[in-house]
Amino acid sequence: MKQRLAATLGDFPDVAASLSLFPEYMNGAPETPIGVAVSGGGDSVALLMLLALWGKRPLEVFCVDHGLNPASAHWTQGVADLCADLGADLGLSFTALHWTGDKPATGVQAAARRARHHLILKAARAKGIKVLCLGHNADDGAEAEAMRAEGSTVGTPRLWSASPFWPEGEGVFYFRPLIGVARARLRAWLTAAGVPYIDDPANDNPAYLRAKVRQVLQASAPSVSGATRADTSPASQGRMIAHISSPVAQRTGEVAGEVPSEGANHLIHVGAFQLSEVPPADRLAAMIVCAGGGEKLPSAREVAAILDGISAGRTVFTLCGARIEVTRDGVLICREPGDMTRNGTVPAVVGDIWDGRFRLLSYAQGGEIRPLRGHAKRLQRADREKIAHLPPVARASLPIVLSGDTPRLMAAGDLHCLVSARLRAALGAALGQVRNEISLSNL
Ligand SMILES: Nc1ncnc2c1ncn2[C@@H]1O[C@H](COP(=O)(O)OP(=O)(O)OP(=O)(O)O)[C@@H](O)[C@H]1O
């Protein structure tokens, strides 16, 4: 199969060009595997084929069976078969994952997406993977833009990004080398090479905004005479689907986000940002989500409302679990302590990460970990003095150990704040930064 793929690739220079985006240093040492998420659709199958041709790292292929279509088990088997065809000599291994949880009656696409990312991230992290390749292409970028015009908060897929799923995606980068290639060209290449792929009918279901904008964009694209609709029945497994090429988008570059300086920020070790001035909207959004410890990015509209509020003289805002406070010294962005125990809940611990902000290292003091809010008065004097310099809200959101009624600060060696590294990854996930992050952690 590899020879056939290589032979046909010469006729698809735009597809072949994406190979130049694969960095030599991908994921550190040559024996370290990289992950690839393959649904069995044309985009991710083309991605898998290109990675196989590239051949410089062992590949871990993950395919999620959502169980939403009667044919989904066949689709998953189709990906398994493709992997077997590519051959074990490539150092390729395949993992099928299953979404077995309850399926919601509404918002099933969003729930499936979230479940899919969580399943893949968990499996990938268990295998030590730090780079996960996804098959987003130029059409996905255009669709995201059109969806935002319809009021969606979906982000534009980028060549590199830190996984937005948190804390499950901590330390995992998403890599989308096909982001400059048109979907039709990827499929035309597969067709020429005789590689089968499927089309999920959910992609055509007008009940979903993504499918709706896809149809509108397709209708306004140059005509594609001779294209056939995909057959999605189980019987179509192994049969090729013909698609005709369309003009190729030329977007292959990626603009690096500027990495924030921490020099002036003396609060970052407690997960708060103290800034001398209000940051621009995109950075403010990233700081809010990182300080808040959650994974839901605020929408552009919500961030704009805060910026307008600040201009109008308001000083305190809460959004996505974070508090944004205009102070005499500038702006403080930190966890909103009031949100942490709302309705009697306590901050979640996922793996060894507390409240999405602190990694709990070894600590041998018995007791429960809780936010300081409501317990500060009972802290020992020495503990109180250690944190007296912090703004009260940043203090109140710190984790403490509560034994019975006695609160204690955690020792510096017992926890590690993740907020700064997360922000750096979110804003600075350009190639150089990724190399840095990955090679450092692999040494
Ligand atoms: N069932 C699946 N199993 C494995 N990987 C998948 C699956 N579905 C999608 N993917 C991966 O995700 C990529 C993008 O697909 P899709 O746009 O449907 O996903 P998404 O997570 O909703 O993306 P976005 O972040 O743009 O919303 C695919 O090219 C593929 O790499």
Side-chain angles (χ1 to χ4, degrees):
M1 182 190 282
K2 232 177 133 179
Q3 277 100 344
R4 219 167 55 223
L5 286 165
T8 44
L9 194 57
D11 294 332
F12 295 87
D14 46 335
V15 178
S18 59
L19 281 171
S20 67
L21 298 174
F22 291 46
E24 278 299 321
Y25 55 76
M26 176 94 89
N27 207 16
E31 63 277 11
T32 316
I34 55 175
V36 49
V38 182
S39 63
D43 314 338
S44 53
V45 167
L47 171 67
L48 174 61
M49 297 301 139
L50 283 167
L51 282 163
L53 284 178
W54 182 62
K56 296 194 181 157
R57 289 290 183 281
L59 296 178
E60 291 282 350
V61 181
F62 301 101
C63 180
V64 178
D65 180 349
H66 297 106
L68 294 174
N69 184 294
S72 65
H74 293 268
W75 299 344
T76 306
Q77 188 55 46
V79 178
D81 293 345
L82 269 183
C83 292
D85 279 1
L86 280 170
D89 55 319
L90 281 175
L92 182 152
S93 98
F94 170 79
T95 305
L97 301 162
H98 301 269
W99 184 29
T100 51
D102 288 343
K103 315 277 189 304
T106 55
V108 73
Q109 287 283 304
R113 174 176 182 266
R114 194 182 149 79
R116 165 169 79 247
H117 283 267
H118 279 202
L119 283 165
I120 295 177
L121 286 165
K122 188 166 176 220
R125 288 183 54 149
K127 290 174 186 278
I129 284 169
K130 295 202 163 58
V131 174
L132 179 72
C133 301
L134 298 171
H136 292 92
N137 54 54
D139 297 49
D140 289 307
E143 283 162 21
E145 228 165 273
M147 286 168 74
R148 277 202 304 278
E150 294 289 319
S152 165
T153 56
V154 57
T156 296
R158 296 190 298 155
L159 182 63
W160 282 102
S161 64
S163 167
F165 293 88
W166 188 264
E168 287 77 4
E170 191 222 348
V172 177
F173 284 89
Y174 288 173
F175 178 47
R176 304 178 182 89
L178 306 184
I179 199 64
V181 188
R183 178 175 294 136
R185 293 290 289 165
L186 296 167
R187 295 178 179 206
W189 173 49
L190 293 179
T191 302
V195 178
Y197 62 88
I198 54 103
D199 241 352
D200 183 342
N203 292 334
D204 291 337
N205 183 343
Y208 305 128
L209 179 59
R210 185 183 293 274
K212 235 194 286 182
V213 300
R214 186 175 288 190
Q215 280 166 11
V216 171
L217 291 173
Q218 274 168 359
S220 60
S223 92
V224 287
S225 60
T228 63
R229 271 191 58 78
D231 178 353
T232 53
S233 67
S236 74
Q237 286 303 305
R239 191 154 23 104
M240 285 186 300
I241 301 164
H243 289 260
I244 306 298
S245 63
S246 69
V248 183
Q250 295 299 322
R251 296 187 310 119
T252 53
E254 178 77 352
V255 179
E258 190 195 326
V259 180
S261 143
E262 286 160 28
N265 193 338
H266 61 287
L267 297 180
I268 194 65
H269 63 290
V270 293
F273 302 105
Q274 175 70 69
L275 308 161
S276 53
E277 50 194 59
V278 184
D282 53 347
R283 182 170 298 200
L284 177 60
M287 287 180 163
I288 286 172
V289 78
C290 293
E295 77 181 14
K296 188 178 167 289
L297 263 177
S299 69
R301 200 163 31 83
E302 289 168 317
V303 175
I306 291 185
L307 292 173
D308 287 350
I310 292 174
S311 302
R314 285 178 51 210
T315 54
V316 177
F317 309 82
T318 56
L319 184 59
C320 299
R323 177 184 177 96
I324 303 97
E325 191 174 324
V326 180
T327 64
R328 262 198 330 223
D329 307 323
V331 189
L332 174 72
I333 304 167
C334 67
R335 182 75 162 108
E336 167 56 57
D339 263 8
M340 299 175 74
T341 51
R342 199 178 295 291
N343 303 326
T345 58
V346 292
V349 181
V350 178
D352 58 357
I353 298 178
W354 182 82
D355 196 39
R357 300 182 297 138
F358 288 92
R359 164 158 289 121
L360 303 173
L361 306 171
S362 59
Y363 85 102
Q365 330 165 53
E368 315 264 11
I369 301 177
R370 294 282 180 268
L372 176 61
R373 184 174 193 255
H375 304 288
K377 287 207 176 80
R378 280 175 284 112
L379 272 183
Q380 301 251 321
R381 186 167 171 183
D383 274 355
R384 275 212 302 275
E385 281 172 358
K386 274 187 210 150
I387 55 173
H389 64 290
L390 297 175
V393 283
R395 261 197 316 254
S397 63
L398 283 175
I400 52 151
V401 178
L402 195 61
S403 330
D405 232 11
T406 312
R408 263 195 311 256
L409 282 189
M410 295 181 73
D414 290 340
L415 79 171
H416 172 68
C417 184
L418 300 170
V419 171
S420 160
R422 183 181 179 196
L423 183 72
R424 267 187 287 124
L427 293 182
L431 295 182
Q433 181 73 7
V434 169
R435 171 166 45 189
N436 227 2
E437 298 276 343
I438 290 167
S439 55
L440 282 178
S441 55
N442 273 349
L443 283 174

